[in-house]
Amino acid sequence: MKKNIWMRAAVVVGAASLMMGALAGCQGGSDAAGGGSKADIEAALKKGGELTWWTWGTTTQDWADAFTKEHPNVKINVVKLDNPDATVTKLQNAVKAGSGAPDIVPVEYQTMPQLTMAGALADMTSYGFDGYKDKFTASTWNAVNIDKKLVGLPLDSGPMVMLYNTKLYAAAGITEAPKTWDEFVADSAKIHAADPDTYIATGGDAGFFTSMIWASGGHPFKTEGEKVTIDLQDAGTKKFADMWGGMLQKGELSPLATWSDEWTKALAQDKLATLMMGSWMINMGEDYGVDKWTAAPMPTWDGTPGSAENGGSGISVTEQSKNKALAAAVLQFLADGKGRDLVNQGGFPSTVADFKNPEWADRTFPAYVDGQKANLVGVESSKSVIPGWQYLPYQGYANNVFGDSVGKAIGAKGDLNAALQEWQKTLVDYGNQQGFQVNK
């Protein structure tokens, strides 16, 4: 359904966590000791060899073919897996077994910490990749730098934007997008009052909540080595929960699950007024039967720009790879030039130079009002992503159990703060059981 398979929305439930393997690590590949260098990449390209590349994407084979066309002495075996969760699960099993991992693998930003903690991903710093820092947005570069290790390179990004249905807003007497959350709450009441079957948004799920907490200035998860702090009642988290919970309890949020058939129908029938997602959704807006979209910045508490990332993936070399230097050459190919052009064909870029490319930046979309250059809204959002965000080193587990507490509260129009505290207790207990030092 989604054009860009790399930018899976973070709202989708994440993969299972890596259990005790997260603290045990795994054995490195044959060229792991002492790291590699740029010279090793050149030597590996001259020598050639064979690589295995796991993927859930539909365009990976094209990327591999483009690389091997330039380097015909390299063979790349692309292995297609069902989805990001299947990829993490299979890599998890390879970590536990001590063998069986590919050379190259895509990794969602939200699972980078848990795979790094497990020793699944190689530190690529010594290959000179830290020199690419200024080429990428700050938030995506931060996402691939875990515990002082550069464990991948960004592929795409998902700075959040608000897409709103101007037809629905006009029907409720609203002439412009809300700039603050207070205005958003007021708009929610007007939209629902104008048509009780229409809502400003859905209640949301795990990835949506983490992104909204991030955009609200929350920092509920902090990790330093094996020490983990979880506070799902910090100031930013509680501000979001109070605001969102108020609309929920008034019956102003739709119970529909994002990406469900019912959700798609609601969009097509003008029953959902806004989508707050990563900027990759800009390119997909016309897929949902709405012909009156406008892209706007995310509302904030005081009207000052502030945003978060929602979705996106990087590309990594595994610690088990026996040919890290050659795998590093593939990452180098995808970092800029022809390789990066291929990466950017289907998604929202993570490379700042592409934001200035008129062919991309000035693109208009049929579904957007007055020929809006909607990509530029995403560009501005990327500049205001709040720094310092961290995911848990077992974020997949956190997402999986979200429905047992916060998800239930959403369905019952209950107390979101109480549900967040319940979710926190589950995450604290689980982390301690897995050998982390959580809230200690």
Side-chain angles (χ1 to χ4, degrees):
M1 176 171 61
K2 287 166 272 190
K3 291 178 179 177
N4 186 349
I5 43 74
W6 293 106
M7 306 250 341
R8 182 180 78 153
V11 296
V12 180
V13 174
S17 68
L18 289 177
M19 301 298 186
M20 289 303 292
L23 298 181
C26 63
Q27 296 299 315
S30 62
D31 66 351
S37 66
K38 287 184 177 180
D40 290 333
I41 293 177
E42 294 304 317
L45 284 171
K46 290 179 181 179
K47 180 180 179 182
E50 188 169 343
L51 298 169
T52 299
W53 188 343
W54 288 356
T55 185
W56 65 80
T58 58
T59 56
T60 305
Q61 187 65 61
D62 294 336
W63 302 354
D65 290 345
F67 180 84
T68 55
K69 184 177 180 180
E70 291 190 7
H71 305 283
N73 60 340
V74 179
K75 179 181 179 181
I76 299 179
N77 302 306
V78 175
V79 179
K80 182 73 162 58
L81 302 178
D82 288 341
N83 51 49
D85 295 345
T87 304
V88 171
T89 298
K90 193 173 177 67
L91 184 56
Q92 167 185 314
N93 291 336
V95 169
K96 291 178 181 178
S99 64
D103 299 285
I104 303 169
V105 64
V107 182
E108 290 184 305
Y109 295 137
Q110 64 175 342
T111 51
M112 282 273 181
Q114 76 179 48
L115 290 174
T116 301
M117 183 69 81
L121 309 180
D123 183 358
M124 305 305 291
T125 305
S126 64
Y127 291 97
F129 285 178
D130 54 347
Y132 287 116
K133 178 180 179 180
D134 292 340
K135 291 182 178 292
F136 293 96
T137 62
S139 54
T140 57
W141 189 254
N142 178 67
V144 298
N145 280 268
I146 310 295
D147 197 22
K148 299 180 181 180
K149 298 176 182 178
L150 177 57
V151 293
L153 288 178
L155 287 175
D156 47 26
S157 69
M160 291 189 79
V161 294
M162 187 181 79
L163 308 183
Y164 68 100
N165 184 325
T166 55
K167 188 188 304 182
L168 282 180
Y169 268 65
I174 306 168
T175 58
E176 60 182 9
K179 293 182 177 60
T180 67
W181 288 118
D182 286 342
E183 291 174 358
F184 185 90
V185 170
D187 289 351
S188 174
K190 292 175 184 177
I191 288 168
H192 194 57
D195 180 356
D197 293 326
T198 300
Y199 302 88
I200 197 167
T202 60
D205 46 22
F208 173 79
F209 260 68
T210 52
S211 290
M212 291 294 283
I213 288 168
W214 181 353
S216 296
H219 296 279
F221 309 133
K222 297 178 182 177
T223 301
E224 186 175 351
E226 297 175 12
K227 293 193 67 175
V228 178
T229 302
I230 302 175
D231 182 6
L232 283 161
Q233 287 289 279
D234 77 347
T237 305
K238 196 169 188 311
K239 283 171 75 173
F240 167 67
D242 288 345
M243 180 267 292
W244 209 246
M247 291 189 294
L248 178 71
Q249 292 181 341
K250 288 185 288 187
E252 293 175 5
L253 296 178
S254 169
L256 298 178
T258 309
W259 308 118
S260 67
D261 290 342
E262 293 78 12
W263 174 84
T264 301
K265 290 177 183 176
L267 286 172
Q269 295 170 357
D270 295 328
K271 297 300 182 184
L272 281 176
T274 68
L275 295 176
M276 290 176 287
M277 294 181 173
S279 294
W280 40 265
M281 190 64 188
I282 290 170
N283 191 40
M284 295 159 53
E286 58 201 69
D287 293 349
Y288 293 94
V290 178
D291 58 1
K292 296 293 183 181
W293 285 121
T294 294
M298 289 287 288
T300 60
W301 296 107
D302 60 2
T304 301
S307 187
E309 291 280 344
N310 179 253
S313 303
I315 189 80
S316 298
V317 175
T318 69
E319 189 60 66
Q320 287 184 14
S321 172
K322 291 181 170 56
N323 203 343
K324 290 187 178 66
L326 190 59
V330 176
L331 268 63
Q332 183 175 267
F333 173 74
L334 296 175
D336 54 18
K338 293 179 181 177
R340 179 52 53 163
D341 290 342
L342 288 173
V343 170
N344 287 341
Q345 281 182 1
F348 200 85
S350 58
T351 40
V352 293
D354 292 287
F355 291 165
K356 301 174 184 178
N357 178 0
E359 184 178 349
W360 178 85
D362 294 339
R363 181 183 172 190
T364 60
F365 301 84
Y368 291 79
V369 174
D370 296 330
Q372 183 187 21
K373 298 176 181 177
N375 279 338
L376 296 177
V377 181
V379 170
E380 290 305 307
S381 175
S382 72
K383 298 175 184 178
S384 63
V385 172
I386 297 171
W389 176 264
Q390 288 184 297
Y391 287 110
L392 285 172
Y394 45 94
Q395 192 66 46
Y397 172 83
N399 289 0
N400 282 336
V401 300
F402 175 88
D404 297 337
S405 51
V406 186
K408 283 185 178 179
I410 291 171
K413 301 177 184 177
D415 186 338
L416 286 187
N417 282 298
L420 285 168
Q421 292 175 64
E422 182 182 348
W423 190 33
Q424 174 172 318
K425 184 180 186 307
T426 300
L427 300 181
V428 170
D429 291 345
Y430 178 83
N432 285 323
Q433 291 166 10
Q434 302 310 312
F436 294 98
Q437 298 173 37
V438 188
N439 289 4
K440 291 182 178 180

